[in-house]
Amino acid sequence: FSGSRPRVGLTHGLPIGQVYKIGQSATMRNKCVNGYQDNGSSTYMGSFWKNIMGGDGMECAVDPVDANYSYGTVYYGYIERQYQNNNNGSVAGEGFNGINESGAWVTPFIIDEYDPNIMFVGYKNVWRSPNIKAPTSQITWQKISGNLAGSNSQDMRVLEQSPANTDILYATRYDNKLFRSDNCKATTPVWTELTALLPESAGINDEECDPYDQDVVYLSQNNRIYKSGDRGLTWTDISGSLPEVAYTSIAAYKNSHEGLYISSDIGVFYKDKHMEDWVMFSDGLPPDASITEIEIFYDTDPALDILRAGTYGRGLWESDVYHTTPAASF
């Protein structure tokens, strides 16, 4: 950098963001929040990106009814609310509004599928707020899981709510213990541990509930994909000829016949009930793109639905959905 030649940045415009998680708006096609390692959180708005938080960006979500509201996090579960992509206050985290514990490096949280006032967060235990859009000093939190953290205070890793019955909530700990509540919005929810019924003993990466059948849930565990038709009491291996790699995210596609997208370190795969096996759905993706999370935007015209994929090192990508042939256009 000595001498008289001007210094020129060579990285401007390169898609190299290390995305931990993404949050796709359900109502606004071109709104998607990304959390990045070391580079905060940013919101994609179709023609531009808006930085909304600093630090390490983690889990993120957009209000399913009013896309003006969105949420981002930093490590251990500090959650900030955004209104029109501007800071609208701190809503959760250890020491906020009665919460007295921290979470994992990437702390899971979800907004209720149909009531955007309700938020669930997995710290050491599962916490619920009924008024997440209230003025920040008035937001209330309740620990609703008793002591699911166990004696060794394990962090929660995944939360998943059933779109078909929003009283059903699954919670997974980092030591791969799985729990389910069938009345997660009751004053005192009841929890059932499903760990002993799991098909394997390690490596739970994600869970996904069927959009129509309240009894069906899918699980990514130890390089395999499993399906349960009885809320986790029994499991069937549906991996087919999938390669044995880590599957990071599952997205059930409601405009299909039991269609599933799954992401991995080597790309995206798809299968529905009329297909004998999985197909790779990664045409156009960089060959070194490690996919961390996938989410679907549903257009009023199903032909315009899109799949979005966050990658660890190559930014955010999108594709049309699977049609009669795997015509992905990432």
Side-chain angles (χ1 to χ4, degrees), residues 76 101-108 122-125 148-149 152-158 172-177:
Y76 308 131
E101 58 189 28
S102 62
W105 179 252
V106 181
T107 295
Y123 290 108
K124 299 291 187 294
N125 292 280
L148 290 189
N152 56 354
S153 296
Q154 286 284 329
D155 293 322
M156 291 293 165
R157 182 172 186 174
V158 183
T172 299
R173 292 191 338 202
Y174 262 88
D175 59 351
N176 300 311
K177 293 187 179 298

Side-chain angles (χ1 to χ4, degrees), residues 107-167:
T107 295
F109 76 90
I110 56 174
I111 304 171
D112 185 270
E113 291 276 351
Y114 299 111
D115 185 347
N117 295 298
I118 299 174
M119 178 182 284
F120 299 92
V121 184
Y123 290 108
K124 299 291 187 294
N125 292 280
V126 181
W127 293 71
R128 181 186 66 205
S129 171
N131 62 339
I132 198 63
K133 293 200 288 187
T136 54
S137 62
Q138 299 176 24
I139 293 171
T140 58
W141 287 96
Q142 175 190 357
K143 185 171 72 172
I144 62 168
S145 64
N147 187 31
L148 290 189
S151 59
N152 56 354
S153 296
Q154 286 284 329
D155 293 322
M156 291 293 165
R157 182 172 186 174
V158 183
L159 294 180
E160 172 64 13
Q161 185 184 37
S162 169
N165 180 352
T166 58
D167 287 325

Side-chain angles (χ1 to χ4, degrees), residues 53-228:
M53 293 179 67
D56 288 272
M58 305 295 182
E59 184 62 270
C60 35
V62 181
D63 185 301
V65 176
D66 183 355
N68 284 305
Y69 288 94
S70 60
Y71 302 86
T73 58
V74 295
Y75 33 77
Y76 308 131
Y78 166 81
I79 305 177
E80 190 174 280
R81 186 175 65 204
Q82 306 286 321
Y83 184 76
Q84 295 181 346
N85 300 327
N86 294 301
N87 187 330
N88 195 234
S90 304
V91 300
E94 186 172 18
F96 287 87
N97 301 316
I99 298 172
N100 60 5
E101 58 189 28
S102 62
W105 179 252
V106 181
T107 295
F109 76 90
I110 56 174
I111 304 171
D112 185 270
E113 291 276 351
Y114 299 111
D115 185 347
N117 295 298
I118 299 174
M119 178 182 284
F120 299 92
V121 184
Y123 290 108
K124 299 291 187 294
N125 292 280
V126 181
W127 293 71
R128 181 186 66 205
S129 171
N131 62 339
I132 198 63
K133 293 200 288 187
T136 54
S137 62
Q138 299 176 24
I139 293 171
T140 58
W141 287 96
Q142 175 190 357
K143 185 171 72 172
I144 62 168
S145 64
N147 187 31
L148 290 189
S151 59
N152 56 354
S153 296
Q154 286 284 329
D155 293 322
M156 291 293 165
R157 182 172 186 174
V158 183
L159 294 180
E160 172 64 13
Q161 185 184 37
S162 169
N165 180 352
T166 58
D167 287 325
I168 300 173
L169 182 69
Y170 294 87
T172 299
R173 292 191 338 202
Y174 262 88
D175 59 351
N176 300 311
K177 293 187 179 298
L178 177 64
F179 305 87
R180 188 194 76 234
S181 173
D182 293 330
N183 63 342
C184 68
K185 290 188 273 190
T187 301
T188 306
V190 176
W191 293 84
T192 300
E193 183 170 355
L194 304 170
T195 307
L197 306 174
L198 287 169
E200 300 188 43
S201 60
I204 298 176
N205 294 323
D206 197 22
E207 301 143 28
E208 176 80 344
C209 290
D210 186 272
Y212 300 113
D213 190 335
Q214 64 181 0
D215 296 325
V216 173
V217 61
Y218 301 94
L219 181 75
S220 166
Q221 187 180 33
N222 197 24
N223 305 337
R224 310 295 288 174
I225 303 296
Y226 296 94
K227 175 183 178 180
S228 172

Side-chain angles (χ1 to χ4, degrees), residues 160-311:
E160 172 64 13
Q161 185 184 37
S162 169
N165 180 352
T166 58
D167 287 325
I168 300 173
L169 182 69
Y170 294 87
T172 299
R173 292 191 338 202
Y174 262 88
D175 59 351
N176 300 311
K177 293 187 179 298
L178 177 64
F179 305 87
R180 188 194 76 234
S181 173
D182 293 330
N183 63 342
C184 68
K185 290 188 273 190
T187 301
T188 306
V190 176
W191 293 84
T192 300
E193 183 170 355
L194 304 170
T195 307
L197 306 174
L198 287 169
E200 300 188 43
S201 60
I204 298 176
N205 294 323
D206 197 22
E207 301 143 28
E208 176 80 344
C209 290
D210 186 272
Y212 300 113
D213 190 335
Q214 64 181 0
D215 296 325
V216 173
V217 61
Y218 301 94
L219 181 75
S220 166
Q221 187 180 33
N222 197 24
N223 305 337
R224 310 295 288 174
I225 303 296
Y226 296 94
K227 175 183 178 180
S228 172
D230 51 17
R231 303 189 193 182
L233 300 181
T234 60
W235 297 90
T236 301
D237 189 338
I238 60 170
S239 305
S241 62
L242 285 171
E244 292 202 7
V245 297
Y247 294 98
T248 54
S249 179
I250 309 171
Y253 180 41
K254 67 182 183 181
N255 290 331
S256 68
H257 298 283
E258 299 179 15
L260 288 180
Y261 294 93
I262 57 173
S263 64
S264 72
D265 288 344
I266 61 172
V268 177
F269 296 83
Y270 176 80
K271 185 181 186 301
D272 63 38
K273 69 180 296 184
H274 299 305
M275 300 168 64
E276 294 184 0
D277 207 347
W278 299 83
V279 294
M280 198 159 193
F281 193 70
S282 300
D283 289 355
L285 270 175
D288 58 346
S290 175
I291 315 296
T292 52
E293 187 170 29
I294 49 176
E295 293 195 3
I296 300 169
F297 173 77
Y298 293 94
D299 197 275
T300 53
D301 178 359
L304 300 178
D305 293 346
I306 55 172
L307 178 70
R308 286 219 163 106
T311 74

Side-chain angles (χ1 to χ4, degrees), residues 9-17 49 314:
L10 300 178
T11 58
H12 178 72
L14 288 178
I16 55 175
W49 287 85
R314 298 301 300 267

Side-chain angles (χ1 to χ4, degrees), residues 26-44:
T27 58
M28 185 180 295
R29 182 184 188 90
N30 284 328
K31 183 167 186 176
C32 184
V33 187
N34 287 195
Y36 303 99
Q37 179 175 327
D38 297 327
N39 286 283
S41 298
S42 296
T43 302
Y44 175 63

